[in-house]
């Protein structure tokens, strides 16, 4: 069974440019998460979806970040415009339901220069 | 507000030793607790999930325990190997279904 798939693995962009990340969760998983992780710290939730509904986006900086999960399967996370402080690893995870085991993708390492 | 703490932040032990990693949380109203490992530059790998009604879970050389009343979980690693070197994170699923994370313990197993 395929795990959570993210792309790209690495991205380097100049500040003020847009960037997008893609996530394909484990088949059948209803809950999808986007996290941000800085070096030496635990993940920080950006947004959580249950099917296609964003049920927790309180930590998403909505002035520059947006996310969507069409048809309740794949998801994209976008930053526009990117800032130097956005450099981090962006992790996608999925779980069968909102209280079951979470599985993570390999992450996308974003560097903003 | 739920807070999760992992002590120590780093641990170095010789190969072959048994070791215990600690995770504590402030609010006992949790659905479950999950242990992960993270290798440098990689995503998180789920190791064990303990439901709030359970006391322990085992997978191979790993054994995780949960004492919800005291807000503690431990991850026991038997007969440690250099390949066990990684950062270990615990996360609790709180009453709002959020995963609340510790900062992790960086484990180094010396050959």
């Amino acid at each position: 069974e395929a795990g959570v798939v993210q792309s790209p693995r690495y991205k380097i962009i100049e500040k003020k440019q847009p960037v997008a990340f893609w996530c394909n969760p484990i088949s059948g998983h209803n809950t999808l998460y986007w996290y941000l992780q800085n070096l030496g710290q635990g993940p920080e939730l950006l947004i959580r979806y249950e099917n296609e509904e964003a049920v927790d986006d309180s930590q998403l900086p909505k002035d520059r970040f947006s996310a969507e999960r069409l048809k309740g399967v794949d998801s994209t996370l976008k930053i526009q415009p990117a800032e130097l402080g956005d450099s981090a690893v962006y992790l996608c995870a999925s779980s069968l339901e909102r209280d079951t085991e979470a599985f993570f993708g390999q992450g996308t390492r974003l560097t903003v220069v | 507000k739920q807070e999760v703490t992992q002590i120590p932040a780093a641990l170095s032990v010789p190969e072959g030793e048994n070791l215990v990693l600690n995770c504590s949380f402030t609010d006992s109203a949790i659905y479950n607790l999950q242990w992960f490992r993270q290798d440098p530059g990689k995503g998180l790998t789920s190791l064990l999930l303990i439901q709030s009604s359970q006391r322990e879970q085992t997978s191979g050389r790993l054994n995780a325990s949960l004492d919800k009343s005291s807000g503690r979980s431990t991850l026991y690693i038997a007969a440690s190997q250099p390949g066990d070197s990684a950062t270990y994170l615990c996360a609790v699923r709180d009453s709002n279904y959020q995963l609340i994370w510790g900062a992790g313990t960086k484990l180094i197993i010396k050959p």
Side-chain angles (χ1 to χ4, degrees), chain A residues 2-106:
Chain A
V4 177
V5 178
Q6 290 187 246
S7 67
R9 285 295 315 278
Y10 306 92
K11 190 74 176 179
I12 301 174
I13 61 170
E14 294 183 344
K15 62 182 180 182
K16 301 185 181 180
Q17 294 302 305
V19 64
F21 313 125
W22 175 79
C23 174
N24 181 232
I26 294 173
S27 177
H29 280 198
N30 295 320
T31 304
L32 183 146
Y33 318 75
W34 282 104
Y35 286 93
L36 174 157
Q37 187 178 28
N38 289 303
L39 191 64
Q41 299 181 21
E44 301 170 27
L45 180 70
L46 292 172
I47 190 168
R48 174 167 60 97
Y49 284 93
E50 291 179 13
N51 297 302
E52 63 273 11
E53 181 183 0
V55 296
D56 186 352
D57 63 355
S58 58
Q59 301 303 311
L60 188 72
K62 297 181 182 64
D63 57 334
R64 299 185 299 108
F65 286 64
S66 65
E68 61 180 9
R69 190 184 185 196
L70 299 177
K71 300 181 181 179
V73 182
D74 294 5
S75 178
T76 57
L77 177 69
K78 298 178 181 178
I79 308 175
Q80 182 171 12
E83 297 178 352
L84 295 176
D86 296 331
S87 296
V89 176
Y90 290 81
L91 297 165
C92 179
S94 71
S95 59
L96 188 62
E97 301 295 343
R98 59 185 178 178
D99 60 347
T100 57
E101 189 173 5
F103 297 90
F104 281 76
Q106 290 296 298

Side-chain angles (χ1 to χ4, degrees), chain B residues 27-50:
Chain B
D27 187 346
S28 61
I30 65 171
Y31 283 100
N32 52 54
L33 183 146
Q34 200 167 349
W35 281 94
F36 296 85
R37 72 173 277 169
Q38 186 170 34
D39 295 283
K42 301 290 182 64
L44 288 91
T45 300
S46 178
L47 298 173
L48 289 163
L49 173 79
I50 311 180

Side-chain angles (χ1 to χ4, degrees), chain B residues 7-26:
Chain B
I7 295 174
L11 182 63
S12 179
V13 300
E15 179 180 4
E17 282 198 5
N18 303 324
L19 60 98
V20 174
L21 305 180
N22 297 295
C23 173
S24 61
F25 48 96
T26 55

